[in-house]
Amino acid sequence: MHAVLNKIIEGITVCYSEVFPNENNEFFRFVYMGKAFLVADTYCMNPNCTCEEAVLNFVQVYPRGDRKKAASFMVRLKLNGRGYKIHDRGEYNRREIKAIMMHFTAGDTILNISNERYKEMKEKAKEILS
């Protein structure tokens, strides 16, 4: 937890799976147009911050093509349901990201899970800091 404490102090978002390691819920997984993605969700753990966002890092794991490094992009998802902001596009254009995000966030499941994880992360931060 020492690394997590440092991230809290520095104001860096922390991956949910780093705080709650469990192979069954480590990352979100989904397929869009034949492309398989892993999505790492990170959260601000400052208990005094009310950002209510999740930073999602999308990594395309299949197909990888000739790339040595997997293609990825990052967004900040607003947990109040009011959309997202692109943080890093990587090799993707805005239209591709919009289509992927519409598919990934269809329905309320991802938003509900992300809100629960956000609350869990804030509670764990209070526990770590006390």
Side-chain angles (χ1 to χ4, degrees):
M1 282 296 161
H2 181 67
V4 172
L5 179 59
N6 285 340
K7 289 179 181 178
I8 294 171
I9 292 167
E10 293 174 21
I12 299 171
T13 59
V14 181
C15 191
Y16 181 82
S17 64
E18 187 176 351
V19 177
F20 300 102
N22 179 334
E23 61 191 47
N24 294 327
N25 67 0
E26 191 169 34
F27 302 106
F28 296 114
R29 296 167 177 81
F30 79 105
V31 176
Y32 174 74
M33 306 258 320
K35 298 175 183 177
F37 291 89
L38 288 180
V39 183
D41 54 326
T42 66
Y43 303 88
C44 166
M45 289 186 71
N46 177 345
N48 298 320
C49 180
T50 59
C51 61
E52 294 189 20
E53 295 179 332
V55 177
L56 305 176
N57 186 19
F58 288 74
V59 179
Q60 182 182 325
V61 293
Y62 178 85
R64 292 205 39 182
D66 295 338
R67 296 183 297 251
K68 293 180 181 177
K69 185 175 148 186
S72 66
F73 67 91
M74 190 180 305
V75 299
R76 288 185 166 290
L77 178 67
K78 301 203 177 294
L79 298 178
N80 62 5
R82 295 189 179 201
Y84 63 92
K85 182 176 180 180
I86 298 171
H87 187 64
D88 179 10
R89 289 188 325 189
E91 298 177 15
Y92 296 86
N93 64 46
R94 290 185 187 282
R95 190 172 347 122
E96 289 174 308
I97 293 172
K98 181 178 180 180
I100 292 166
M101 287 299 295
M102 285 178 63
H103 180 77
F104 183 67
T105 59
D108 291 333
T109 303
I110 293 299
L111 197 57
N112 290 340
I113 292 170
S114 297
N115 271 294
E116 281 301 312
R117 288 182 171 194
Y118 174 83
K119 291 173 188 170
E120 289 176 39
M121 295 289 274
K122 292 293 187 175
E123 289 300 316
K124 188 66 169 183
K126 290 176 186 174
E127 180 183 311
I128 291 170
L129 295 172
S130 62

